[in-house]
Amino acid sequence: MPQLEAIAEIDFNTNTYKDAYSRINAIVIEGEQEAHDNYIKLGEMLPDEKDELVRLSKMENRHMKGFQACGRNLKVTPDMEFARQFFSPLHQNFQAAAADGKVVTCLLIQSLIIESFAIAAYNIYIPVADPFARKITEGVVQDEYMHLNFGEEWLKAHFEDSKAELEEANAQNLPLVWKMLNEVENDAEILGMEKDALVEDFMIAYGEALSNIGFTTRDIMRMSAYGLKG
Ligand code: Y39
Ligand code: FE
Ligand code: FE
Ligand code: FE
């Protein structure tokens, strides 16, 4: 349905809304927690960038607390078990890459894929959020652009050495994003967030990041297709 219509219709106190919120809110809380942990890990892998990465991890911790407050404000209990399952394939890939010292793969997963997912989700959520959550999310999304930028800058500075690993990591991880989007499609719709809009905003953020890092339009087209083939 059109976004404006959705705004007028949303009642944040229905059981239907709160049930969907218990999963989306949990995903966001779990995502912020894992993002915190991932930036701590990246700081260990990139000692020269450690101070900056610890700073980013603290921002993720603040985001998590903000979204926990959003759940409490609506009297919703987040379904954290659902959220852990939701992130588990991406989380496992990050952990495996970290264990192998594959910093490029770790940066692609956290700073490009997960941050682009966050930017898309938060921008689409803001216009349909309850007033409390809207204020919190507006503050958070600004930080997520900084996190994406950290990954872009590092990978741009190491582009030639990273290119092959980025292509492989993209092929392994982008399909997981489409699976995740399919899993939340119905709950997102109940919150007023359309899947098509999420996909579009994700591809814009992710494609722009790949372009800034140094990939050609042709590369980006080819890399994006991986997700779609599943
Ligand atoms: O870097 C970050 O802060 C990312 C952890 C946050 C990810 C949020 C993932 C949002 C997906 C929500 C899907 C809603 C339709
Ligand atoms: Fe619709
Ligand atoms: Fe965050
Ligand atoms: Fe982030």
Side-chain angles (χ1 to χ4, degrees), residues 9-179:
E9 286 170 16
I10 290 176
D11 180 344
F12 307 110
N13 289 309
T14 64
N15 287 334
T16 306
Y17 189 92
K18 287 166 89 169
D19 174 60
Y21 205 82
S22 73
R23 286 179 293 278
I24 302 277
N25 183 233
I27 284 170
V28 168
I29 291 167
E30 176 67 18
E32 297 293 353
Q33 174 68 55
E34 292 190 17
H36 165 274
D37 299 348
N38 291 348
Y39 282 116
I40 297 281
K41 177 53 83 179
L42 278 162
E44 291 166 12
M45 298 170 82
L46 293 171
D48 289 354
E49 307 287 346
K50 186 167 180 180
D51 290 353
E52 176 65 3
L53 286 160
V54 167
R55 198 173 73 83
L56 301 191
S57 78
K58 287 181 179 157
M59 296 163 93
E60 303 296 19
N61 201 51
R62 266 204 309 280
H63 299 170
M64 181 186 70
K65 289 183 174 148
F67 289 125
Q68 286 172 327
C70 294
R72 279 196 302 273
N73 179 58
L74 291 181
K75 301 189 168 56
V76 167
T77 304
D79 184 345
M80 297 311 297
E81 182 50 37
F82 174 86
R84 274 187 285 274
Q85 299 279 347
F86 177 81
F87 273 107
S88 133
L90 256 192
H91 186 63
Q92 281 174 29
N93 285 358
F94 183 96
Q95 302 278 77
D100 286 350
K102 293 173 100 173
V103 69
V104 169
T105 300
C106 289
L107 281 172
L108 178 124
I109 293 173
Q110 175 58 47
S111 292
L112 302 190
I113 287 187
I114 298 181
E115 299 295 353
S116 294
F117 199 10
I119 286 167
Y122 298 161
N123 277 326
I124 299 296
Y125 178 54
I126 285 167
V128 292
D130 67 83
F132 182 89
R134 183 178 307 167
K135 242 187 132 199
I136 301 260
T137 310
E138 281 168 348
V140 167
V141 75
Q142 297 310 319
D143 291 346
E144 307 303 1
Y145 285 104
M146 265 194 262
H147 302 172
L148 177 62
N149 187 254
F150 176 89
E152 281 175 7
E153 292 298 324
W154 194 95
L155 291 166
K156 183 180 175 176
H158 301 81
F159 182 58
E160 284 310 321
D161 295 338
S162 306
K163 201 168 182 239
E165 189 178 327
L166 282 171
E167 298 222 19
E168 195 191 328
N170 172 78
Q172 278 179 1
N173 292 287
L174 195 56
L176 299 179
V177 173
W178 307 126
K179 254 183 57 193

